[in-house]
Amino acid sequence: MYDHVSVSSNHFGIFATVHLSKEKMIDSMFKKLASVTVGTAMIFAVGEIMPAQAAILIYDFSNTSKTLKGTFLFDQAAADDQEVTISEGLKLFATYGGQSYTEADDPLASVLTDFSGKIPNQGGLGLQFTPGTFEVYRENFINRNDLTDAGVEFVSYTSVPEPTFMLGSCMFGLGLLVRKKIASSRPSSTKA
C-alpha cells in the first residue's frame, strides 16, 4: 500500500515518514474534497431545515371508508391562536366522489390546532371544510346527501414530514456513509 516507509530518529524522538505515490495522493485529495463538498451541502440543507421562521406543517386526512382523501398545509406560526384560516395561508386539496376540492371551494375553511400546530386524532381539533356535497368538521366526515348515521364517518389526520426535512435527513445520512467509506479506505497506521 505504501511506496516507501522510512524511519529516522534524533534526540527528539522517532519519526515515521510515509511517502505515497502521486496517484494515491490525488485519490486521497479527491476523497477529501468529496467529503468537504458533502459536508458543505449538509450545512446548507440544515440551514433550509431550520430557518428563523416557523416550519410548514403538512397533514394528510381521510374518512374511515377512504372515499375522502386530502392534504392541507400551513405555517406553524399561524397556529398561535389555535386556528389557521385561508387568509393566514391555509392550503387545502381533497378528492371525494371523483371531484377535486381546494380552499377556493370553501372560503371559510379553517384548521383548529393546539398552540404548536399539532392535531391529535380524537382531540376535537382538525379541519373545518364545507364545499357543498360533504363536510369535514374536525374528526367527523358528513355526507350531506346521506344524513343518516351511515353518512357520518371518522376523519383521521396524519402528520407528513416537511420535504426539506426529508432532503436534509437524506443528505446527512449520505454524508455519514461517505465519511465512513473514506475512513475505512484510509491506511490504518504506519509501519515502523
Side-chain angles (χ1 to χ4, degrees):
M1 183 164 217
Y2 299 110
D3 289 342
H4 176 73
V5 176
S6 64
V7 178
S8 62
S9 68
N10 59 23
H11 63 284
F12 293 110
I14 297 176
F15 296 97
T17 307
V18 177
H19 298 281
L20 299 175
S21 69
K22 201 182 258 186
E23 182 180 303
K24 288 180 184 175
M25 284 189 337
I26 291 172
D27 185 46
S28 175
M29 286 186 340
F30 277 121
K31 287 179 180 177
K32 288 178 183 175
L33 179 62
S35 67
V36 168
T37 303
V38 169
T40 303
M42 286 180 4
I43 288 169
F44 284 112
V46 169
E48 284 291 318
I49 294 168
M50 297 179 207
Q53 75 272 9
I56 300 296
L57 299 179
I58 305 170
Y59 285 91
D60 285 341
F61 65 96
S62 63
N63 63 350
T64 306
S65 64
K66 306 288 187 208
T67 56
L68 169 72
K69 293 182 180 183
T71 301
F72 59 86
L73 60 99
F74 57 90
D75 190 318
Q76 186 177 20
D80 62 348
D81 63 352
Q82 295 182 289
E83 181 178 20
V84 181
T85 63
I86 293 171
S87 64
E88 293 175 308
L90 173 63
K91 298 293 180 198
L92 170 66
F93 177 79
T95 58
Y96 177 68
Q99 289 280 122
S100 295
Y101 300 91
T102 68
E103 67 276 0
D105 294 303
D106 179 8
L108 300 176
S110 65
V111 174
L112 300 175
T113 71
D114 65 12
F115 285 110
S116 66
K118 304 290 188 246
I119 302 171
N121 275 322
Q122 300 179 353
L125 302 175
L127 181 64
Q128 296 183 148
F129 183 55
T130 309
T133 58
F134 67 90
E135 180 177 345
V136 175
Y137 184 73
R138 301 177 185 182
E139 69 264 357
N140 297 305
F141 165 82
I142 302 162
N143 179 344
R144 297 188 88 179
N145 296 323
D146 182 4
L147 297 178
T148 67
D149 287 342
V152 178
E153 295 181 40
F154 179 73
V155 176
S156 62
Y157 299 94
T158 307
S159 178
V160 178
E162 189 177 357
T164 55
F165 176 75
M166 295 301 290
L167 175 63
S169 297
C170 290
M171 289 296 293
F172 182 71
L174 179 62
L176 290 176
L177 182 65
V178 168
R179 185 175 176 192
K180 184 176 179 180
K181 182 72 174 164
I182 290 171
S184 69
S185 68
R186 287 187 183 151
S188 59
S189 65
T190 58
K191 296 177 184 175

